[in-house]
């Protein structure tokens, strides 16, 4: 089973209620106290959408692949720390990975819920890390980033051969049909875009939770 990303939008009172009783996260659709809140899931598409929309994510995956190559070369784990670093550096060169120095962009933060420890809520941790909490002012800025994003850029990055090379989302892209882009990935992006637009209009907080 894959890791699923969940997105909730709540007001300040609802957020306080969730902090006091975290298990309510999974029942907000049936709890009248959360009538104006909403929750969606991104199933297991969150890493794929990050890859398609974020240059930072693509660089990270390249470096991750380089580390994997180095590990495969040092299958007996006999390399010293310095020797392993050299193996990684050689793999980075072979793969043509750009330097991994840029900060996370807005869409990467929104889709994956990236943030520092002080931007998370420790009481809302269901085994895969504390929930990322975006304040209403942050949500508005993220909604603008989604609104400005051109889907042409997403479609341009959909290259099954390249995605297979970097094992994006853990899927077998060599056997996936091209139709998966328009039938599943574009609608998935639109769903999370619509979610952030709604949260921004309501002046809500957004929580990103993994399970």
């Amino acid at each position: 089973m894959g890791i699923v990303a969940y997105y909730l939008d709540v007001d300040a009172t609802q957020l306080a209620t969730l902090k006091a009783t975290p298990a309510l996260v999974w029942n907000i659709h049936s709890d009248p106290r959360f009538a104006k809140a909403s929750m969606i899931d991104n199933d297991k598409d969150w890493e794929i959408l990050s890859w398609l929309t974020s240059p930072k994510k693509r660089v990270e995956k390249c470096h991750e692949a380089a580390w994997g190559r180095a590990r495969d070369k040092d299958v007996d784990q006999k390399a010293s720390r310095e020797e392993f670093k050299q193996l990684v550096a050689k793999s980075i060169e072979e793969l043509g990975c750009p330097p991994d120095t840029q900060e996370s962009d807005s869409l990467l933060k929104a889709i994956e819920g990236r943030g520092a420890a002080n931007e998370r809520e420790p009481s809302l941790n269901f085994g895969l890390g504390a929930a990322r909490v975006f304040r209403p002012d942050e949500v508005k800025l993220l909604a603008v980033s989604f609104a400005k994003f051109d889907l042409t850029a997403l479609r341009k990055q959909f290259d099954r051969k390249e995605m297979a090379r970097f094992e994006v989302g853990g899927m077998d892209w060599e056997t996936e049909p091209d139709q998966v882009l328009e039938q599943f990935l574009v609608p998935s992006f639109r769903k999370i875009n619509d979610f952030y637009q709604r949260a921004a209009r309501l002046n809500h907080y957004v929580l990103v939770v993994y399970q």
Side-chain angles (χ1 to χ4, degrees), residues 136-199:
D137 60 313
E138 295 176 307
V139 173
K140 288 180 172 66
L141 292 174
L142 294 175
V144 170
S145 295
F146 273 103
K148 289 182 176 179
F149 185 77
D150 187 348
L151 279 171
T152 302
L154 183 152
R155 292 182 172 101
K156 183 178 179 181
Q157 294 300 329
F158 184 74
D159 181 330
R160 291 190 297 110
K161 184 176 181 180
E162 190 75 354
M163 294 165 78
R165 183 185 183 205
F166 294 108
E167 300 180 356
V168 178
M171 293 180 63
D172 183 5
W173 291 105
E174 297 287 2
T175 61
E176 285 288 335
D178 287 335
Q179 292 91 324
V180 72
L181 174 62
E182 298 298 337
Q183 291 181 357
F184 296 101
L185 297 176
V186 169
S188 185
F189 177 84
R190 285 177 171 149
K191 181 172 78 169
I192 192 170
N193 171 33
D194 291 345
F195 169 85
Y196 272 95
Q197 302 305 327
R198 176 187 184 276

Side-chain angles (χ1 to χ4, degrees), residues 54-107:
S54 170
K56 166 72 171 176
K57 182 68 174 185
R58 292 191 289 274
V59 171
E60 287 179 347
K61 289 296 289 182
C62 191
H63 281 258
E64 182 182 311
W67 189 90
R69 280 193 178 195
R71 181 192 57 198
D72 291 342
K73 291 175 182 176
D74 184 31
V75 64
D76 296 324
Q77 299 183 2
K78 292 182 179 180
S80 67
R81 183 173 182 178
E82 186 58 36
E83 289 170 337
F84 188 76
K85 285 175 63 177
Q86 292 175 0
L87 287 174
V88 172
K90 184 172 178 58
S91 295
I92 288 173
E93 182 180 355
E94 291 171 349
L95 289 170
C97 303
D100 186 9
T101 55
Q102 62 198 109
E103 295 183 0
S104 296
D105 50 80
S106 295
L107 293 190

Side-chain angles (χ1 to χ4, degrees), residues 11-36:
D11 63 26
T13 300
Q14 292 163 341
L15 177 57
T17 301
L18 291 178
K19 288 179 181 180
T21 313
L24 286 175
V25 162
W26 311 114
N27 298 302
I28 66 168
H29 291 309
S30 58
D31 191 318
R33 291 173 294 178
F34 294 88
K36 292 185 178 180

